[in-house]
């Protein structure tokens, strides 16, 4: 692969925020050894950060150290480089050492959200869940718009079987990103896991409404996230029909004409798996009760 192609591929990864660590390392190492970094201008610093992270991911700490050294020389007091140095430290030092490093930096600059998030990540890795949740809540009080923070908090609560708290965290996420169907899907699946079937069904239907246009609903099979949502709709409606007295913890009403919703979900799932080259139709038909 030519140097120009490697540079183009690396720039594309950066623009799409794609990690692709092994490929970035392979191509980035070629660029670094060739001395072409200097030709990149201001983009060279983004490249060095990208290569440093990829090198840490693949265990080539020597290359990461070379990149970080160049960055520290150029930006000796950069919080962004401090975070990168911390991530490098996490790869070879104990969590206690990394935690002390972040504590020292945060004491100097308590407004650095990136440093705070790395500290929270280390706390969770150490298994200090209560402290992690406490720190996350304090962090989100300051940086309310941080989507990753709310996702992290929701995930921690869910892994601890605290589904009500997880749904509360996800509700903030929906307020911040009302146009993202993936967050509604996560909310729906968490509600389903918690046992609140009417709430889960409502949110699965929202996902379908957001991800399928009216003409697709009539003419074409569902794709992508819509397939997952239809499976959720099928499961919720089937269970609610089997247990009409199901109580919703959120007091969400069960939709009228539930049997029609259940029938439509069956049709949409079959449509998704009935095309040429699509595998799994027999297993899907068995699950749907259409053997």
């Amino acid at each position: 692969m030519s140097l120009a192609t490697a540079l183009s591929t690396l720039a594309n990864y950066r623009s799409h925020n794609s990690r692709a660590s092994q490929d970035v390392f392979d191509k980035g190492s070629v660029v670094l050894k060739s001395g072409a970094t200097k030709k990149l201008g201001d983009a060279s610093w983004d490249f060095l950060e990208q290569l440093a992270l990829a090198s840490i991911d693949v265990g080539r700490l020597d290359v990461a150290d070379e990149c970080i050294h160049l960055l520290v020389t150029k930006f000796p007091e950069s919080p962004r480089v401090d975070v990168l140095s911390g991530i490098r430290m996490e790869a070879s030092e104990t969590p206690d050492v990394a935690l002390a490093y972040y504590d020292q930096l945060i004491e100097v600059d308590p407004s650095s959200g990136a440093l705070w998030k790395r500290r929270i990540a280390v706390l969770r890795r150490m298994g200090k869940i209560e402290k992690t949740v406490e720190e996350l809540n304090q962090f989100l009080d300051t940086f309310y718009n941080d989507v990753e923070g709310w996702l992290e908090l929701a995930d921690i609560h869910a892994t601890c079987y605290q589904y009500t708290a997880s749904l509360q965290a996800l509700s903030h996420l929906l307020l911040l990103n009302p146009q993202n169907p993936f967050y509604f899907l996560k909310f729906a699946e968490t509600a389903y896991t918690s046992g609140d079937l009417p709430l889960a069904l409502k949110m699965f239907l929202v996902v379908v409404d957001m991800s399928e246009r009216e003409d697709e609903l009539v003419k074409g099979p569902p794709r992508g996230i819509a397939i997952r949502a239809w499976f959720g709709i099928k499961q919720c409606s089937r269970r609610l029909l089997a247990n009409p007295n199901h109580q919703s913890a959120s007091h969400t009403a069960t939709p009228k004409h539930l049997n029609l919703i259940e029938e439509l979900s069956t049709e949409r799932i079959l449509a998704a798996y009935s095309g040429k080259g699509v595998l799994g139709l027999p297993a899907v038909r068995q699950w749907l009760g259409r053997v």
Side-chain angles (χ1 to χ4, degrees):
M1 178 177 290
S2 68
L3 184 60
T5 302
L7 289 171
S8 176
T9 301
L10 291 169
N12 184 61
Y13 282 143
R14 289 197 299 275
S15 66
H16 289 86
N17 198 29
S18 176
R19 197 87 164 196
S21 298
Q22 188 63 59
D23 197 36
V24 168
F25 174 78
D26 293 340
K27 293 179 172 60
S29 298
V30 173
V31 174
L32 188 65
K33 291 177 182 178
S34 70
T37 307
K38 298 178 181 179
K39 300 178 183 179
L40 297 177
D42 290 340
S44 63
W45 312 116
D46 290 333
F47 160 73
L48 288 171
E49 181 182 42
Q50 178 188 30
L51 179 57
L53 288 170
S55 300
I56 294 170
D57 286 345
V58 302
R60 287 297 305 272
L61 301 183
D62 55 326
V63 177
D65 288 339
E66 183 178 353
C67 295
I68 292 172
H69 174 72
L70 293 171
L71 288 166
V72 170
T73 302
K74 177 65 177 179
F75 308 103
E77 297 182 359
S78 166
R80 185 165 172 171
V81 178
D82 286 341
V83 170
L84 186 60
S85 298
I87 294 172
R88 162 62 180 88
M89 186 179 296
E90 291 178 44
S92 60
E93 303 293 341
T94 65
D96 286 325
V97 172
L99 196 61
Y101 170 78
Y102 290 129
D103 285 342
Q104 182 180 11
L105 291 174
I106 290 173
E107 186 175 347
V108 176
D109 182 16
S111 65
S112 175
L115 288 171
W116 206 343
K117 287 171 72 173
R118 288 311 312 171
R119 184 176 185 278
I120 290 169
V122 173
L123 285 170
R124 186 176 186 184
R125 184 154 60 94
M126 295 172 72
K128 298 182 177 181
I129 301 303
E130 290 186 7
K131 183 64 175 175
T132 303
V133 171
E134 179 185 338
E135 291 282 332
L136 254 178
N137 280 315
Q138 291 180 12
F139 171 80
L140 291 167
D141 282 342
T142 305
F143 302 95
Y144 178 79
N145 292 334
D146 192 282
V147 169
E148 291 180 352
W150 288 112
L151 281 171
E152 183 81 0
L153 184 59
D155 182 67
I156 291 173
H157 283 305
T159 56
C160 295
Y161 311 108
Q162 298 170 346
Y163 299 115
T164 299
S166 183
L167 289 171
Q168 289 173 348
L170 290 172
S171 67
H172 290 281
L173 195 62
L174 300 188
L175 289 173
L176 291 170
N177 295 268
Q179 305 301 322
N180 192 325
F182 288 95
Y183 296 150
F184 281 87
L185 180 65
K186 188 171 185 64
F187 189 101
E189 292 178 340
T190 303
Y192 181 85
T193 305
S194 75
D196 194 335
L197 299 180
L199 178 60
L201 177 57
K202 176 182 177 180
M203 288 302 183
F204 280 126
L205 289 168
V206 170
V207 174
V208 167
D209 186 57
M210 295 176 71
S211 56
E212 282 195 335
R213 298 193 304 271
E214 186 175 350
D215 59 334
E216 292 176 332
L217 188 60
V218 174
K219 298 178 182 178
R223 298 180 176 84
I225 190 175
I227 299 176
R228 193 157 151 181
W230 280 116
F231 269 105
I233 292 168
K234 173 67 178 182
Q235 189 71 339
C236 287
S237 56
R238 178 158 58 182
R239 289 184 61 185
L240 286 169
L241 286 169
N243 182 16
N245 296 320
H246 177 85
Q247 297 297 313
S248 167
S250 61
H251 305 291
T252 303
T254 300
K256 297 179 180 179
H257 309 298
L258 189 59
N259 60 322
L260 297 179
I261 293 175
E262 194 267 346
E263 290 177 8
L264 179 60
S265 66
T266 299
E267 294 174 6
R268 298 302 289 157
I269 292 170
L270 286 174
Y273 285 86
S274 297
K276 292 183 179 179
V278 178
L279 301 178
L281 180 58
V284 170
R285 291 184 65 89
Q286 184 176 6
W287 182 79
L288 291 170
R290 292 288 190 88
V291 180

